[in-house]
Amino acid sequence: MCGISGVVGLKSISNLLFEGVRNLEYRGYDSCGVALMNKTRLIIKKDVGGVEEFYRKHNILQLKSKIGIAHTRWATHGKVTQNNTHPFTSRDGNFALVHNGIISNYRPLKDQLQKEGFKFFSETDTEILAHLLEKFFKRSQNVEQAFVKMLSLIEGTFALAFISSHLPEQIFCAKRESPLMLGIGDEIKFVGSDFNAFIDHTKNAVILDDGEYAILSRDTYVVKNILSKEEVTKPITKIEWDSETSKKEGYPHYMLKEIYEQPQTISNALDMETSELDEIVDWFAKSRNTYFLGVGTSFYVAKYAKYIFSRLAQEFFPSISSDEFMVLANVKKQSLVFAISQSGETFDTLSALKHVKSRGARTVAIVNVMGSSIARLVDKVVLQRSGPEICVISTKTALSQMVILTLLAMKFALKKKIITRKTYNLHLRALRDLPAIIQGILNERSGFIHRLASRYSGNRNWLYLGRGVYYPIALETALKMKEVAYIHAEGMSSGFLKHGTLAMIDDDVFSIVFVPPPEDKVLYEATLHSIEEIRARSGFVLGIHFTPPRKNQDLYSEELILPSMPPLTAPLIHLVTGQLFAYFTATSLKCDIDKPRSLAKSVTVA
Ligand code: AGP
């Protein structure tokens, strides 16, 4: 949700600033802008479009400066126009500022500034901040004091950074409920919305907490509390990720690369210290009521967890979408809330967790990004170690979360003596076999899936159907299709079909059905019934299944046959095929794979 990058160094930093903001582009990519310092004069450039296009069009790399800030925007307040693009400058041109978040009280502040003669050129909530800096600087002649005064007036959420011609060798930045961190190098300092802004240059990060601001110069930095203005001693966090894993490595898109990384991310998840998970299992056992929480893909992972805990551990733990959590969940002191979030920054999930904490309940989260807001908020965090996921569309992180949740359900079932150690070991074997099976699918079936996806890429309406634990898989793979190919895809439990949606079946509405292995007898038979219902109305069915149909040869209009799998891990294989189907449909349609329109990787606004 917008990316902020800033650098102050010894030599020209234009190229570093470019790399930083380009690496953050997955957070938003409507428009881009930079502020650089020419001796003591600010140079501002901004335009609509992506980072590379903007840099090329305006020859930004030719501009030499030892300090600068940059921004890549995901529009919230105001359309995608050049005027609404960050940075914003003060009336006198001495301050240039970039912001991520929403200033909720910007209207009264703007009215007041207008009365005082300040002119506004954008529809954004951010522009007031540059004017406030000028206004308060005029009074105090002190940049830091003006900054703190401005921070004390604004409400809402922010990660912001500015440079000023009054102090041309310093970057000022602050944070409240939007992520911001510092990168600490020798004779060079960075600020960024996340590690990707500087991971190529330093692995030493200082993660700002809410209510803190920082002042950076090339050889030093200081972090202070906004209210007390006292200095805060902050630990250095070592970034574990390797910058190489953030590169495409020959894949045409990050989405494909990340789908292909799944065998490795599953192995990483399974190599996790079991003691990390055992404590959580104890918490499940002690909790009065447990909820799973997440939004978007992470909500579908939470839904998957609901089914897998019911099936393995005979426990019903509701899953609630983060945006609905506060109106729905009945959290008490003895409750346990288990959140799922790739980024660890999603506003809705973070807000729900804060609400849970205010009720005194326990919180756990599976998160991929160390040091993220959710990772730091919850009582216990499981770092899933999937490596950076750059594509806006989640793939490898979701699968890895499902594997970890399956492992937790198995452990809980074992603790409750619902399964024996022998069954537990069989399940564990099935999980450990997954990476090789997925590798086989990627090697041997992706060409077939590609052809199938190209053949049907003209179809504008899909129903994605699955029963039981295959229902969240249907929802998640339908979301992939919507996000990456902009095709209407409705995920549904196949048993629900006959209660209304069946009326939609005609030549223009196609169905994909995720068929369980025949050993999963009840679900398998029920799924076949749903297919019959569609076929009886001459509907098209792409069946993804594990065995050729025994009797009815024309059960499917098209089929994709997968290697035989144990019921425990079969849904996860379906997930991978659904990811590939969406990816290849989108490439056939020449969609912008890694940066779909209107989306952003981490949604840090309400
Ligand atoms: C996934 O493909 C989407 N980009 C989106 O639904 C995402 O899963 C959701 O915004 C939650 O993000 P999180 O996992 O980072 O909390």
Side-chain angles (χ1 to χ4, degrees):
M1 203 98 313
C2 301
I4 290 176
S5 168
V7 194
V8 51
L10 202 53
K11 299 188 230 135
S12 178
I13 50 77
S14 296
N15 58 331
L16 302 185
L17 197 59
F18 168 62
E19 284 169 23
V21 73
R22 189 187 52 190
N23 289 350
L24 295 176
E25 207 180 3
Y26 67 95
R27 303 178 66 87
Y29 31 82
D30 293 337
S31 56
C32 182
V34 297
L36 298 161
M37 192 74 72
N38 182 354
K39 300 207 174 86
T40 57
R41 200 174 61 83
L42 285 167
I43 312 166
I44 311 294
K45 298 274 180 194
K46 50 180 163 177
D47 210 338
V48 296
V51 173
E52 293 199 19
E53 183 191 348
F54 161 74
Y55 264 74
R56 207 174 32 248
K57 192 167 154 195
H58 295 275
N59 270 324
I60 307 292
L61 290 176
Q62 307 306 318
L63 303 172
K64 301 287 171 227
S65 173
K66 293 179 189 170
I67 183 168
I69 51 174
H71 189 266
T72 178
R73 179 170 184 245
W74 189 85
T76 51
H77 282 61
K79 292 185 206 70
V80 182
T81 63
Q82 190 173 27
N83 276 357
N84 288 339
T85 302
H86 301 219
F88 289 98
T89 41
S90 54
R91 182 177 52 181
D92 62 8
N94 287 326
F95 294 90
L97 176 141
V98 293
H99 164 229
N100 178 15
I102 295 172
I103 306 300
S104 52
N105 63 339
Y106 83 99
R107 283 186 195 281
L109 292 169
K110 185 171 176 176
D111 290 347
Q112 179 58 35
L113 285 164
Q114 277 173 326
K115 277 189 206 140
E116 292 168 22
F118 287 90
K119 296 254 176 313
F120 286 82
F121 300 95
S122 79
E123 305 154 312
T124 67
D125 52 329
T126 303
E127 197 177 2
I128 57 156
L129 303 178
H131 293 322
L132 287 173
L133 285 171
E134 175 188 323
K135 173 175 161 176
F136 296 130
F137 179 80
K138 287 226 163 87
R139 285 188 197 163
S140 63
Q141 294 298 306
N142 180 304
V143 176
E144 186 176 346
Q145 277 177 27
F147 185 29
V148 174
K149 177 71 184 160
M150 180 265 270
L151 292 172
S152 72
L153 281 188
I154 58 175
E155 290 166 11
T157 62
F158 53 81
L160 56 88
F162 74 87
I163 53 176
S164 168
S165 50
H166 297 301
L167 286 171
E169 294 181 355
Q170 293 181 350
I171 298 178
F172 292 76
C173 57
K175 163 195 151 64
R176 185 197 291 155
E177 292 187 25
S178 281
L180 199 66
M181 51 196 71
L182 315 179
I184 310 300
D186 292 337
E187 302 282 1
I188 189 158
K189 303 288 175 284
F190 301 84
V191 56
S193 297
D194 64 44
F195 302 143
N196 291 301
F198 48 76
I199 192 172
D200 284 323
H201 305 285
T202 178
K203 294 208 163 189
N204 294 334
V206 169
I207 299 164
L208 294 187
D209 282 298
D210 287 343
E212 290 177 346
Y213 70 96
I215 307 172
L216 315 175
S217 48
R218 78 180 152 76
D219 48 8
T220 179
Y221 69 96
V222 61
V223 179
K224 294 186 181 179
N225 181 285
I226 296 175
L227 287 179
S228 68
K229 300 178 209 80
E230 305 259 307
E231 195 172 328
V232 186
T233 311
K234 303 284 293 180
I236 298 270
T237 302
K238 285 269 174 209
I239 307 169
E240 284 174 8
W241 288 351
D242 183 349
S243 68
E244 280 312 300
T245 38
S246 305
K247 308 239 156 50
K248 271 195 214 150
E249 291 167 1
Y251 286 91
H253 304 105
Y254 281 112
M255 182 173 177
L256 191 64
K257 175 183 179 244
E258 288 157 8
I259 290 173
Y260 270 73
E261 280 172 350
Q262 292 182 118
Q264 187 57 50
T265 51
I266 293 174
S267 300
N268 295 351
L270 291 173
D271 285 347
M272 197 173 292
E273 282 296 323
T274 56
S275 58
E276 265 189 61
L277 303 182
D278 290 338
E279 193 185 347
I280 299 171
V281 170
D282 283 342
W283 287 12
F284 282 135
K286 285 181 191 138
S287 147
R288 277 270 181 85
N289 55 346
T290 299
Y291 297 97
F292 287 114
L293 169 70
V295 69
T297 288
S298 298
F299 172 54
Y300 296 146
V301 176
K303 255 177 145 13
Y304 167 85
K306 178 175 72 174
Y307 280 95
I308 212 81
F309 271 75
S310 169
R311 186 176 233 193
L312 292 179
Q314 294 172 12
E315 290 281 353
F316 175 63
F317 294 160
S319 54
I320 303 182
S321 183
S322 313
D323 58 323
E324 290 289 310
F325 190 83
M326 283 190 259
V327 290
L328 200 53
N330 188 6
V331 177
K332 301 191 180 67
K333 213 168 173 199
Q334 300 85 351
S335 303
L336 172 65
V337 176
F338 194 125
I340 297 140
S341 175
Q342 182 284 130
S343 63
E345 299 293 351
T346 301
F347 181 88
D348 290 328
T349 308
L350 198 54
S351 307
L353 284 169
K354 284 179 184 165
H355 165 78
V356 171
K357 291 208 85 158
S358 73
R359 294 283 175 98
R362 270 182 169 160
T363 52
V364 181
I366 298 183
V367 167
N368 192 38
V369 182
M370 66 181 291
S372 58
S373 304
I374 291 175
R376 286 179 295 138
L377 179 75
V378 292
D379 301 314
K380 178 128 191 79
V381 63
V382 179
L383 275 177
Q384 59 183 98
R385 301 178 182 89
S386 302
E389 188 176 69
I390 306 295
C391 178
V392 165
I393 295 152
S394 290
T395 50
K396 64 174 180 174
T397 52
L399 178 56
S400 183
Q401 288 160 349
M402 288 183 188
V403 167
I404 295 168
L405 286 157
T406 308
L407 198 54
L408 278 166
M410 284 159 46
K411 282 178 172 287
F412 193 26
L414 185 66
K415 186 179 171 79
K416 287 180 68 185
K417 299 197 173 33
I418 289 168
I419 58 171
T420 60
R421 172 63 66 180
K422 191 170 164 219
T423 309
Y424 176 88
N425 287 340
L426 277 175
H427 287 340
L428 193 60
R429 182 74 266 147
L431 287 180
R432 291 208 183 280
D433 287 344
L434 252 185
I437 295 168
I438 292 177
Q439 196 61 60
I441 304 269
L442 295 171
N443 294 345
E444 291 153 25
R445 302 282 205 287
S446 65
F448 184 76
I449 299 172
H450 192 165
R451 281 196 295 283
L452 213 51
S454 310
R455 195 174 309 146
Y456 294 103
S457 61
N459 176 38
R460 301 301 300 166
N461 293 293
W462 285 99
L463 292 176
Y464 277 60
L465 304 169
R467 280 212 176 221
V469 68
Y470 296 85
Y471 169 36
I473 300 295
L475 288 167
E476 167 55 8
T477 47
L479 180 64
K480 297 302 91 168
M481 187 61 112
K482 286 184 274 199
E483 286 181 301
V484 71
Y486 319 141
I487 286 176
H488 173 234
E490 193 175 344
M492 191 180 297
S493 62
S494 53
F496 202 81
L497 186 68
K498 57 183 172 294
H499 299 284
T501 315
L502 195 59
M504 293 287 297
I505 298 293
D506 64 11
D507 289 350
D508 296 326
V509 177
F510 287 32
S511 303
I512 291 190
V513 185
F514 298 98
V515 185
E519 302 88 289
D520 214 344
K521 200 163 180 314
V522 177
L523 280 187
Y524 176 72
E525 300 290 348
T527 308
L528 293 198
H529 283 316
S530 305
I531 296 173
E532 303 275 9
E533 285 160 12
I534 302 170
R535 299 295 284 146
R537 280 137 192 102
S538 306
F540 173 98
V541 172
L542 164 56
I544 307 184
H545 66 100
F546 296 91
T547 46
R550 285 159 301 173
K551 300 174 253 164
N552 198 348
Q553 285 308 310
D554 58 2
L555 186 61
Y556 306 113
S557 323
E558 288 278 9
E559 61 187 335
L560 171 61
I561 304 172
L562 298 169
S564 92
M565 292 287 298
L568 183 74
T569 45
L572 304 179
I573 295 294
H574 276 309
L575 177 70
V576 177
T577 57
Q579 294 168 344
L580 285 169
F581 190 67
Y583 171 77
F584 287 124
T585 302
T587 53
S588 300
L589 296 173
K590 308 214 172 341
C591 295
D592 192 347
I593 305 291
D594 291 327
K595 289 178 282 173
R597 67 187 180 206
S598 309
L599 301 185
K601 184 73 182 161
S602 42
V603 183
T604 54
V605 289

